[in-house]
Amino acid sequence: MRFNIVICAVVAVVFKMTNVVCESYNSSWFVFHNCRLKAISRDKVVFNMNGTVLHPVNNVQAHLKIYKRENGFKPWLIDSKIDACRFMRGKYNPVAKIVYSLFQPFTNINHTCPFVGPQVIEGLYPKPELLLLPFPTGQYMLAIRWLFDKKLQFDTNVSFLFVEDLLKQKW
Ligand SMILES: *[C@@H]1O[C@H](CO)[C@@H](O)[C@H](O)[C@H]1NC(C)=O
Ligand SMILES: *[C@@H]1O[C@H](CO)[C@@H](O)[C@H](O)[C@H]1NC(C)=O
Ligand SMILES: *[C@@H]1O[C@H](CO)[C@@H](O)[C@H](O)[C@H]1NC(C)=O
Ligand SMILES: *[C@@H]1O[C@H](CO)[C@@H](O)[C@H](O)[C@H]1NC(C)=O
């Protein structure tokens, strides 16, 4: 008897943020001062965001969705609603855990509710671990809708390009 075992490891050769869009729908509660990508070298792009929560909030929901571009952006695999206050206490949601681990080193959003005042992300770029995620090559968007007291307050949409490289080994 013979077995052929094929092991495929997907390693990204390119992971690059290509666009960010932030928009507040209630400027009496949340305002953006800045939300942009900045090229700091030929192949490194970082994300900077600066906003202010004008009144303390104790009830925050994040609605996370990933879209993949195929004749326009189509929903792709992930659609998750997270209680952000609870998540920041206990990191209960695995999808949010991955997304948050990307932001955590670059942000002051590192505590649970209430949130008030400046909310800043500075110099965010994808960590190498991310290059191991099993994404097929393509253009994606991570769209997060933020709700305070169950009412939509703002969106943060980040688009990125992911190019995979298949390493195959057979034995
Ligand atoms: C973010 O993306 C979602 C999904 O495509 C879209 O419904 C929403 O309008 C976008 N928000 C902004 C501010 O462009
Ligand atoms: C907008 O924000 C104010 C707080 O400044 C809040 O009282 C109000 O309910 C919010 N409106 C919506 C539609 O979210
Ligand atoms: C964020 O924007 C506010 C208002 O413009 C500004 O006072 C503050 O210095 C900015 N913070 C950062 C880290 O850029
Ligand atoms: C949270 O972020 C602030 C500002 O970046 C930092 O001073 C503080 O040490 C951080 N706290 C934790 C628990 O990481």
Side-chain angles (χ1 to χ4, degrees):
M1 219 195 271
R2 231 184 106 195
F3 294 95
N4 275 327
I5 300 171
V6 178
I7 305 213
C8 294
V10 178
V11 174
V13 286
V14 177
F15 189 118
K16 194 175 184 184
M17 290 177 286
T18 52
N19 192 38
V20 291
V21 182
C22 301
E23 188 174 338
S24 173
Y25 301 108
N26 184 3
S27 55
S28 67
W29 211 346
F30 191 93
V31 288
F32 284 106
H33 311 295
N34 181 25
C35 169
R36 74 173 67 106
L37 295 178
K38 188 173 167 193
I40 58 169
S41 72
R42 220 177 94 86
D43 45 24
K44 191 169 176 190
V45 171
V46 301
F47 175 36
N48 294 319
M49 190 215 83
N50 178 1
T52 302
V53 177
L54 297 166
H55 307 286
V57 54
N58 280 293
N59 182 325
V60 181
Q61 279 173 318
H63 188 176
L64 241 93
K65 263 177 132 166
I66 292 189
Y67 293 80
K68 187 172 192 293
R69 178 171 248 155
E70 285 162 8
N71 308 310
F73 279 110
K74 303 277 159 58
W76 189 77
L77 293 182
I78 288 163
D79 183 342
S80 198
K81 287 191 171 120
I82 290 120
D83 173 339
C85 306
R86 183 180 156 214
F87 175 77
M88 293 305 287
R89 284 194 305 269
K91 311 282 185 296
Y92 72 95
N93 180 296
V95 171
K97 223 164 137 169
I98 292 172
V99 172
Y100 182 69
S101 75
L102 305 177
F103 285 82
Q104 194 266 326
F106 307 102
T107 184
N108 68 344
I109 308 169
N110 58 8
H111 57 86
T112 189
C113 293
F115 288 97
V116 67
Q119 310 296 324
V120 176
I121 295 171
E122 234 178 329
L124 180 148
Y125 66 93
K127 294 195 301 180
E129 292 92 301
L130 206 66
L131 304 183
L132 294 168
L133 289 178
F135 282 27
T137 292
Q139 182 81 44
Y140 296 85
M141 178 168 71
L142 170 65
I144 310 181
R145 312 211 93 175
W146 297 90
L147 290 78
F148 292 177
D149 291 346
K150 304 203 159 60
K151 289 176 286 193
L152 177 64
Q153 302 298 311
F154 62 93
D155 280 354
T156 51
N157 290 357
V158 179
S159 305
F160 56 92
L161 174 69
F162 193 93
V163 179
E164 71 186 329
D165 185 24
L166 276 178
L167 303 174
K168 279 193 192 162
Q169 268 185 302
K170 210 180 220 186
W171 71 98

